[in-house]
Amino acid sequence: MDIILGIETSCDDTSAAVCVNGKIRSNVISTQIIHQNYGGVVPELASRLHQQNIIPVVHEALSIAKVHKNDIDAIAFTRGPGLLGSLLVGTSFAKAFALANQLPLIEINHMQAHILAHFIDEPKPAFPFLCLTVSGGHTQIVLVKDYFDMEIVGQTTDDAAGEAFDKTAKILGLPYPGGPLIDKYAQQGNPDAYQFPEPQIAGLNFSFSGLKTSILYFVRDHLKNDPDFLKNNLCDICASVQHRIITILLNKLNKASQQYQIKDIAIAGGVSANSGLRDALRNMADQYRWNVFIPKFEYCTDNAAMIAMAGYYKFLKKDFTGQDVAPLARMNF
Ligand code: KG4
Ligand code: ZN
């Protein structure tokens, strides 16, 4: 049996998962809610909490999977990209665990792992496919040629889509992380109530900073005349902003599909949990005869199942890492 322990600590989720012969047996995630008090992730606090949580989270993942530590064949961990202090905790844990148990060590790129989350359950996409990876730190259109042969064909030139959601939420007075709340309010609002601009960016790249500024001015101007504007129109504002973010994303995805003549399309990353994006992608699938792959909710936001899964594919290739490995805050494919 091939048993891989996966470790994820790139941002504010401490997670451990066990993969047995390519199937996920456990996926334990401890989300650090303390950051809500600060309106965003505080890196110093995040690394301290990873340090506190990592051992209990690993114990729980092993116990749910009914796997003893002596049965593990390799340990996979997120090397980057992410917050350096957070990555250091997972990397150090993985190195120590590998050394103590004489196991091979497998480094994983967090963004590749978001994409490889599509190989956890059926139906699995066939290569090549396009993946829109949308998270708190990244917005990319990736041409996926093989498990670890990926090319970024479009990306944001400023804010990420998740940041656009979170910063909008902040402007609207909603707590961090705002994405899920905007999603919730948007479901009761009218997406055509307000028109926010679509940036004119060449090729397959994105920009979200202009949208953020236009929302800021829009709210400021309306509050001048009506102090209750936000309270009375929250759902319509959320629906309109969400609608604009989704159209920006899907218009570029459509362009990429035409450019590369690929109709197998996946979404990944935290923002792929957005119900509006999921519905809009299904509509695009009907309209353009796309074959779409939408991850289960638990595999959209950060999790170690995707790390263990990616680790399994590297394990099959015996693609191991030396003990001198160090984390990378920025990491290319
Ligand atoms: O992938 P992820 O968990 O962490 C990073 O690697 O960044 O993504 C987190 C991002 C946050 O910006 C969060 O607001 C956003 O994903 N997010 C959502 C939803 N759920 C999470 N954005 C919109 N709608 C959601 N339902
Ligand atoms: Zn992520």
Side-chain angles (χ1 to χ4, degrees):
M1 273 207 286
D2 295 335
I3 304 184
I4 316 293
L5 173 65
I7 303 291
E8 157 64 31
T9 64
S10 67
C11 190
D12 57 345
D13 295 298
T14 315
S15 182
V18 175
C19 177
V20 179
N21 287 340
K23 298 260 173 287
I24 295 300
R25 279 262 192 100
S26 64
N27 180 36
V28 176
I29 306 170
S30 167
T31 299
Q32 305 174 358
I33 44 180
I34 193 168
H35 304 290
Q36 284 180 1
N37 301 333
Y38 302 91
V41 178
V42 182
E44 170 86 20
L45 288 177
S47 24
R48 283 167 190 246
L49 282 169
H50 284 308
Q51 189 78 270
Q52 234 173 53
N53 295 337
I54 186 99
I55 302 275
V57 163
V58 168
H59 270 299
E60 199 181 333
L62 292 178
S63 138
I64 292 171
K66 298 192 169 52
V67 161
H68 190 269
K69 76 173 173 46
N70 295 346
D71 298 330
I72 295 170
D73 294 297
I75 177 158
F77 68 99
T78 304
R79 184 181 181 193
L83 299 171
L84 199 62
S86 291
L87 291 165
L88 271 166
V89 178
T91 306
S92 303
F93 174 85
K95 286 168 75 164
F97 192 92
L99 195 63
N101 297 287
Q102 294 177 314
L103 295 178
L105 196 56
I106 301 174
E107 65 175 69
I108 300 296
N109 178 308
H110 180 85
M111 300 313 293
Q112 285 194 333
H114 269 302
I115 296 171
L116 295 175
H118 284 287
F119 293 85
I120 293 175
D121 290 319
E122 299 294 338
K124 296 174 183 164
F127 301 114
F129 65 95
L130 287 169
C131 186
L132 172 71
T133 314
V134 269
S135 71
H138 294 79
T139 298
Q140 303 172 333
I141 297 178
V142 182
L143 173 59
V144 187
K145 300 171 204 165
D146 205 340
Y147 295 108
F148 300 100
D149 183 5
M150 304 185 187
E151 186 187 340
I152 298 169
V153 295
Q155 60 191 320
T156 183
T157 53
D158 42 54
D159 291 350
E163 254 178 304
F165 273 104
D166 296 339
K167 287 179 177 172
T168 301
K170 208 168 187 173
I171 296 170
L172 301 179
L174 301 172
Y176 176 87
L181 286 171
I182 293 195
D183 187 354
K184 184 177 138 203
Y185 291 119
Q187 287 173 32
Q188 299 148 49
N190 172 9
D192 298 316
Y194 306 105
Q195 302 300 318
F196 293 104
E198 178 158 359
Q200 301 304 313
I201 299 286
L204 299 176
N205 286 338
F206 302 92
S207 167
F208 289 101
S209 68
L211 176 65
K212 175 190 64 193
T213 312
S214 77
I215 295 164
L216 188 69
Y217 291 158
F218 166 86
V219 168
R220 187 194 63 185
D221 293 346
H222 278 85
L223 283 177
K224 268 186 206 152
N225 302 326
D226 174 11
D228 290 331
F229 176 72
L230 277 187
K231 204 171 72 191
N232 294 336
N233 300 282
L234 189 62
C235 295
D236 282 351
I237 301 171
C238 288
S240 302
V241 171
Q242 178 172 299
H243 174 69
R244 177 51 72 224
I245 295 173
I246 292 169
T247 52
I248 293 172
L249 293 171
L250 292 186
N251 285 346
K252 292 289 176 152
L253 194 54
N254 190 18
K255 202 168 173 180
S257 162
Q258 288 172 14
Q259 197 169 315
Y260 289 93
Q261 292 289 303
I262 291 179
K263 286 175 179 280
D264 290 279
I265 312 271
I267 51 171
V271 179
S272 66
N274 184 269
S275 59
L277 178 61
R278 295 165 85 94
D279 290 346
L281 189 68
R282 287 191 194 101
N283 290 339
M284 298 275 282
D286 292 342
Q287 193 179 345
Y288 297 106
R289 295 177 184 277
W290 285 357
N291 201 8
V292 295
F293 298 87
I294 301 175
K296 270 190 189 162
F297 282 109
E298 62 186 304
Y299 302 136
C300 289
T301 46
D302 291 347
N303 66 86
M306 66 186 193
I307 305 301
M309 198 68 224
Y312 172 69
Y313 287 111
K314 280 204 171 180
F315 181 79
L316 295 180
K317 294 198 309 170
K318 298 200 170 14
D319 185 351
F320 303 138
T321 307
Q323 271 286 342
D324 57 348
V325 65
L328 294 170
R330 289 171 178 274
M331 187 178 179
N332 295 328
F333 285 177

